[in-house]
Amino acid sequence: MDIEKTLGERHELLERLRDSLQEELLIAELEEAENENSPEVLRVVFDEIGQDNEEGGLGEFFFVPPLSEEDTVQLFSAVITIADEIDKERLPELYRIMSFINFRIPCGSFCIDEEGDYMLYRLTTPLPVNLEKDKLYDEMNIIVANAFVSADMYMDLLLRANDGEDISME
């Protein structure tokens, strides 16, 4: 794999995805990599995620930077932040509910950062590094859609638990 060529193709695909999302009237911006070890990130505001959620969610979509020219697999990540403030007293309950959900969902997982500050849904998918460009774009779209649907399906439950509501998972 030619890393420079691969990074250029990834940039083009992220631009294409951004343009497609903007056509759907979503706020989507592509942000350059902060340094050579960090990814270029497509940030998308999802106003319509969750049924009871008035704040929406922030989606971040990116390719994990390649490790070497010998890589045969590339990783595409979808991260949707569903809460940027967590009631620290509710952490044990949130972990219990997330464990229940994560055991049942077919892909990705809900998680809380190490400091207990924010809650998100994360889906990282391995893809062949030599996948043809249009097929890679199709896979990116599938990953974005799967992340949105998975986050949307359970985020209200987690947000209600974060707000103090007792949630039975039986």
Side-chain angles (χ1 to χ4, degrees), residues 1-163:
M1 152 180 51
D2 178 342
I3 291 180
E4 290 304 316
K5 179 182 174 195
T6 300
L7 292 176
E9 289 174 355
R10 289 176 177 180
H11 173 77
E12 290 173 18
L13 290 169
L14 287 168
E15 284 183 323
R16 186 173 162 192
L17 182 58
R18 177 203 60 205
D19 294 347
S20 172
L21 292 167
Q22 287 177 340
E23 286 175 12
E24 299 297 322
L25 304 178
L26 292 170
I27 298 170
E29 296 296 328
L30 188 56
E31 296 189 17
E32 293 181 19
E34 294 177 10
N35 58 56
E36 65 183 37
N37 297 321
S38 66
E40 182 176 32
V41 178
L42 176 61
R43 289 192 168 83
V44 180
V45 176
F46 292 116
D47 290 329
E48 301 294 323
I49 195 166
Q51 295 176 8
D52 301 327
N53 183 16
E54 295 175 6
E55 294 182 26
L58 174 66
E60 296 179 301
F61 307 100
F62 57 92
F63 287 94
V64 175
L67 297 175
S68 75
E69 299 214 2
E70 287 79 37
D71 286 355
T72 58
V73 173
Q74 58 187 326
L75 301 173
F76 186 70
S77 287
V79 176
I80 300 177
T81 302
I82 58 175
D84 55 10
E85 291 182 23
I86 295 177
D87 180 349
K88 304 270 198 239
E89 293 177 14
R90 301 292 298 166
L91 282 173
E93 179 67 2
L94 288 168
Y95 288 134
R96 181 185 73 81
I97 295 168
M98 281 192 300
S99 178
F100 183 88
I101 294 168
N102 287 338
F103 187 76
R104 285 157 181 81
I105 59 176
C107 59
S109 61
F110 287 90
C111 47
I112 294 174
D113 73 304
E114 292 174 358
E115 289 79 32
D117 292 331
Y118 55 90
M119 184 172 14
L120 54 86
Y121 172 81
R122 175 185 299 261
L123 171 61
T124 299
T125 304
L127 301 164
V129 76
N130 60 354
L131 198 59
E132 188 259 311
K133 207 154 121 176
D134 285 335
K135 290 183 192 256
L136 180 55
Y137 179 74
D138 291 342
E139 291 296 322
M140 292 166 61
N141 269 305
I142 290 168
I143 293 164
V144 169
N146 285 339
F148 179 87
V149 167
S150 294
D152 182 60
M153 190 179 319
Y154 293 104
M155 71 182 290
D156 290 330
L157 182 71
L158 290 164
L159 291 172
R160 288 193 336 255
N162 188 44
D163 288 341

